[in-house]
Amino acid sequence: MTAPMRLGAVIITMGNRPDELKALLDSVARQDGDPIEVVVVGQGVKPTGLPEGVRAVELPENLGIPGGRNVGIEAFGPGGRDVDALLFLDDDGLLERTDTAELCRQAFAEDPRLGIVSFRIADPDTGVTQRRHVPRLRAADPMRSSRVTTFLGGANAVRTKVFEQVGPLPAEFFYAHEETDLAWRALDAGWLIDYRADMVLLHPTTAPSRHAVYHRMVARNRVWLARRNLPAPLVPVYLGVWLALTLLRRPSAPALKAWFGGFKEGWTTPCGPRRPMKWRTVWRLTRLGRPPVI
C-alpha cells in the first residue's frame, strides 16, 4: 500500500492581518487526511499567536514574495524534500472546503508528471472569481478546470521534486511574475500545470495596483522574465506585445512613467541566470493556448 503524500504549507505574512491569518490556519487544520505541517514566515516581523504545532520563521527584513516563500520551502529541508508537496497560501485567504488537501494528494498521485496545481480564487462574499485569477487566455469560465501554462502565487500546490529539479522561485523579482518564471522552467523540464476550479481559496477581491511598486515591478520583471527564459528571437516579440497591451490599457501618466522606468530597469540591471527554454517547450505552450509571446 502506497503511503499518502506528505503535505506542508508555506504562508508568508507582514504581521498586519492576525485575524485573517488565524482563520486561514484554522482552515488548514480542518483539512481531511493526514495533518499538514505549516510554516509561517514573518517578513521583517515575528509571527505571534500561532496555534500549537505551527512553526514560525522570523526574517530580519522583507525579502519579497518569492524570497519569503523560498525561506519557507527550505524550512522543510533542502528544496522542501521533507514533504512531497507544498501548499502556498496568502495570509488573508481561506480554504473553503475541507477536502482540498486530499484533492491535491489525489491529483499528484494520479499523474506523476503533474508538478503544480493552481487553485481557483473566489471572493468570500460574492463567490466571484476575477478574470485575472484564471491563469489562461480563455478565462471567461472560471469553473472550467484545464491544463495551463502558469499559476497563482498565493493559492497553489507544488510538488517538491519541481524545486529539486529546476530550483526555487526567483527571489530577485521581489514581487510580480515570479510564478510564471517558475512555471516556464517547470514546463521546460517536462512538468505539467493544472488549474483546478474545485480547489478554492476564498480571498477578498482586490486590485494588484494597490501595491505602490506594482507598475515598476510588473514592467521590470516582465523584461527579466523574457531575458531569463525565452529564446533570443522571441524576446523582442514578447516585450513588444506587452508594451502595446500596456499602452492600449491607457494607464494614468504616473503609472505609465513608473512602468517605463521599470521597463528600462529590466534591461539595465542583472536578471539572474539565463536558461532559454527549448523550442519544443515553446510549441507545448502554444498548443496549451498561450504561446510565450503574450
Side-chain angles (χ1 to χ4, degrees):
M1 182 176 178
T2 305
M5 291 192 71
R6 299 163 299 167
L7 295 184
V10 173
I11 301 165
I12 58 175
T13 184
M14 299 288 290
N16 56 351
R17 294 191 279 242
D19 294 338
E20 292 89 340
L21 176 59
K22 182 181 184 303
L24 170 63
L25 293 171
D26 289 345
S27 74
V28 174
R30 287 194 299 267
Q31 291 298 300
D32 302 334
D34 290 345
I36 299 171
E37 185 179 351
V38 181
V39 168
V40 175
V41 179
Q43 297 269 41
V45 298
K46 181 178 181 179
T48 58
L50 302 179
E52 185 177 353
V54 174
R55 287 192 286 154
V57 178
E58 179 184 359
L59 299 179
E61 61 180 327
N62 181 2
L63 298 183
I65 293 173
R69 287 183 178 143
N70 285 343
V71 170
I73 294 168
E74 293 301 304
F76 290 91
R81 67 185 182 192
D82 293 346
V83 292
D84 298 304
L86 283 169
L87 279 64
F88 295 88
L89 307 169
D90 276 351
D91 68 343
D92 55 346
L94 184 75
L95 292 175
E96 180 183 41
R97 297 165 42 160
T98 61
D99 64 349
T100 301
E102 285 291 84
L103 289 173
C104 284
R105 291 187 178 101
Q106 181 182 353
F108 286 129
E110 289 178 350
D111 189 348
R113 294 178 61 209
L114 180 63
I116 303 172
V117 177
S118 188
F119 303 166
R120 180 168 64 88
I121 294 178
D123 184 271
D125 297 321
T126 65
V128 171
T129 296
Q130 292 180 274
R131 187 181 182 91
R132 70 184 181 89
H133 283 152
V134 183
R136 58 177 180 244
L137 290 180
R138 295 186 178 94
D141 182 9
M143 302 306 293
R144 177 174 67 87
S145 299
S146 68
R147 197 134 278 174
V148 291
T149 62
T150 189
F151 64 99
L152 305 174
N156 67 80
V158 181
R159 196 189 295 265
T160 52
K161 286 183 179 178
V162 172
F163 299 121
E164 178 185 340
Q165 185 171 1
V166 306
L169 292 156
E172 56 267 50
F173 278 38
F174 196 85
Y175 164 79
H177 303 318
E178 67 272 4
E179 304 92 353
T180 300
D181 186 88
L182 178 64
W184 282 1
R185 286 183 282 131
L187 289 164
D188 198 47
W191 295 101
L192 301 172
I193 306 171
D194 279 352
Y195 165 73
R196 289 284 297 264
D198 56 341
M199 301 182 190
V200 182
L201 184 83
L202 299 178
H203 188 282
T205 297
T206 56
S209 55
R210 70 189 185 281
H211 298 289
V213 297
Y214 172 76
H215 295 287
R216 180 175 70 86
M217 293 289 194
V218 162
R220 184 198 68 181
N221 292 358
R222 184 79 70 183
V223 177
W224 281 0
L225 181 69
R227 289 175 58 198
R228 286 164 59 99
N229 296 287
L230 290 181
L234 293 185
V235 173
V237 180
Y238 177 80
L239 295 175
V241 167
W242 278 103
L243 172 60
L245 287 173
T246 299
L247 294 175
L248 285 172
R249 290 168 179 166
R250 302 177 68 181
S252 66
L256 194 60
K257 181 180 179 180
W259 192 94
F260 273 109
F263 192 80
K264 179 182 178 181
E265 186 180 349
W267 285 109
T268 57
T269 55
C271 64
R274 172 167 166 77
R275 299 187 182 95
M277 66 178 65
K278 307 174 190 72
W279 282 104
R280 68 169 177 262
T281 304
V282 173
W283 176 236
R284 280 185 65 205
L285 290 165
T286 303
R287 285 190 296 127
L288 287 169
R290 188 150 198 166
V293 293
I294 189 170

